[in-house]
Amino acid sequence: MFASRWPKHLPMHPGWLLESEIVLAASDSPVGLFEFEEVVLTSRGAEYWDGRAVHNPFIVRHKDHYLLYYMGTTHPFDDVSPGDELILDDPRVIVARSNKRIGLAISKSVHGPWKRLDAPILNVRPGKFDSYLTSNPAPCVDESGSVLLIYKARRYVGNGFSDMALGAAWADHFEGPYRPLREEPIFPPSQIHLEDPFIWKTDDGYRMIAKDMTGDVCGERHAGIYAYSENGLDWKIADNPKAYSRKVIWENGSIKTMGNFERPFLLFEDGRPTHLYAATSDGEGNFSGKNTWNMVIPLA
């Protein structure tokens, strides 16, 4: 498991934007417990595009290579000291958010060494829906090494930014170059507000689960939607759109609504999904939690 973490003295949100690092953990079973093994990627200096924080890891094995897609960002300010207040309008947060880009690190072992690219694989495009940031990579790597990449984006609106949108990009080889496939998002953001996509290939195209930011699609805010596409470019919401809920049924039969349910991932065994992983928290939602962790839900 590749996961992100950040210092406990920072609030969950927006602390992850400033000092997140990516770590490796391992377990003998898909349901854990996962034990920390090592730091994989961490800060390397403000002069690098991903020099201050790395987040949202997505690991793919392709033949004899491991491909670690992630979000990176930088800012020129001091770290947040324990006890300091951190709010969304803090200059560190504003600059780090606007510098979010998608990157790639490559290795022949999960233990490295990792070849960390010195430029984003997917940059912003002035005047487009992804002019402000690119983030939350969801790659699907073909046997040939080509990649369909679904990603989160925002556009500049004045000096601020828009709601989230999902874009599609393509690379003939995983090392790039990656090129956006559309001038507009794959869903109209005025009607469908999503983030945290996860995609996979099927015999007849592609499938996606993603986080419903408003609940307008699946009926529950921050639950998951299910979508499909024949070509990875033209996507449709399923007739039965709800993929998962923030309400989790525990082994003892109790039901709890999680404070957050982020970045859904599926584990596939013999071609079928067997476990759903998500980053979660306590609290009442809207990033109010004090504790965050990764959880796994075995699928029927």
Side-chain angles (χ1 to χ4, degrees):
M1 174 185 283
F2 287 75
S4 53
R5 68 177 189 179
W6 54 99
K8 186 67 174 178
H9 71 265
L10 294 175
M12 171 189 173
H13 182 64
W16 61 272
L17 263 170
L18 300 183
E19 296 185 43
S20 178
E21 63 184 8
I22 295 172
V23 300
L24 172 67
S27 169
D28 292 332
S29 165
V31 297
L33 294 172
F34 285 83
E35 298 286 343
F36 170 84
E37 291 199 346
E38 62 191 23
V39 175
V40 178
L41 300 179
T42 189
S43 59
R44 57 173 177 168
E47 69 270 27
Y48 291 95
W49 71 271
D50 59 349
R52 298 303 301 274
V54 286
H55 198 66
N56 285 346
F58 194 121
I59 189 70
V60 178
R61 183 179 182 179
H62 176 69
K63 297 182 179 179
D64 61 345
H65 287 86
Y66 289 91
L67 314 176
L68 180 57
Y69 293 82
Y70 64 97
M71 181 281 295
T73 188
T74 189
H75 65 84
F77 305 104
D78 293 335
D79 290 339
V80 180
S81 299
D84 288 352
E85 184 183 22
L86 183 64
I87 59 176
L88 290 174
D89 289 338
D90 189 295
R92 289 168 288 199
V93 175
I94 294 172
V95 173
R97 187 192 298 276
S98 66
N99 281 328
K100 288 169 64 177
R101 304 290 186 269
I102 293 173
L104 174 65
I106 303 171
S107 175
K108 290 195 173 183
S109 166
V110 292
H111 297 288
W114 292 90
K115 176 187 175 184
R116 188 168 165 179
L117 303 185
D118 288 336
I121 61 170
L122 194 65
N123 220 322
V124 294
R125 296 183 294 168
K128 306 297 183 182
F129 72 92
D130 46 10
S131 61
Y132 186 78
L133 62 79
T134 62
S135 185
N136 296 32
C140 186
V141 183
D142 189 72
E143 183 68 19
S144 67
S146 63
V147 184
L148 172 67
L149 182 70
I150 303 298
Y151 62 98
K152 182 181 87 172
R154 293 185 191 263
R155 71 165 69 237
Y156 263 104
V157 178
N159 294 331
F161 50 83
S162 68
D163 284 341
M164 302 171 198
L166 297 183
W170 180 267
D172 292 330
H173 187 267
F174 57 76
E175 290 197 66
Y178 289 76
R179 60 186 186 277
L181 294 175
R182 300 177 62 124
E183 297 300 298
E184 297 297 330
I186 61 176
F187 298 111
S190 61
Q191 304 171 27
I192 302 177
H193 188 191
L194 307 175
E195 72 159 345
D196 289 351
F198 176 94
I199 66 169
W200 67 99
K201 191 81 165 54
T202 62
D203 291 339
D204 58 353
Y206 297 88
R207 299 291 184 269
M208 174 195 297
I209 55 175
K211 178 183 170 186
D212 188 346
M213 295 299 295
T214 61
D216 291 340
V217 180
C218 73
E220 181 188 342
R221 183 173 180 267
H222 289 182
I225 65 96
Y226 178 55
Y228 62 95
S229 172
E230 292 183 1
N231 55 15
L233 183 60
D234 302 302
W235 289 86
K236 296 180 180 179
I237 302 294
D239 292 338
N240 184 12
K242 194 169 188 177
Y244 60 84
S245 173
R246 283 171 54 210
K247 295 179 180 179
V248 176
I249 303 173
W250 298 84
E251 285 182 331
N252 63 6
S254 64
I255 298 176
K256 179 177 176 58
T257 299
M258 308 308 297
N260 288 82
F261 204 86
E262 313 286 314
R263 295 288 286 168
F265 283 76
L266 291 172
L267 175 67
F268 286 81
E269 297 180 4
D270 298 324
R272 60 180 292 267
T274 59
H275 298 79
L276 172 68
Y277 293 83
T280 192
S281 75
D282 54 15
E284 300 303 319
N286 201 30
F287 303 103
S288 63
K290 301 298 183 183
N291 298 287
T292 65
W293 65 96
N294 286 307
M295 70 184 308
V296 56
I297 300 175
L299 303 180

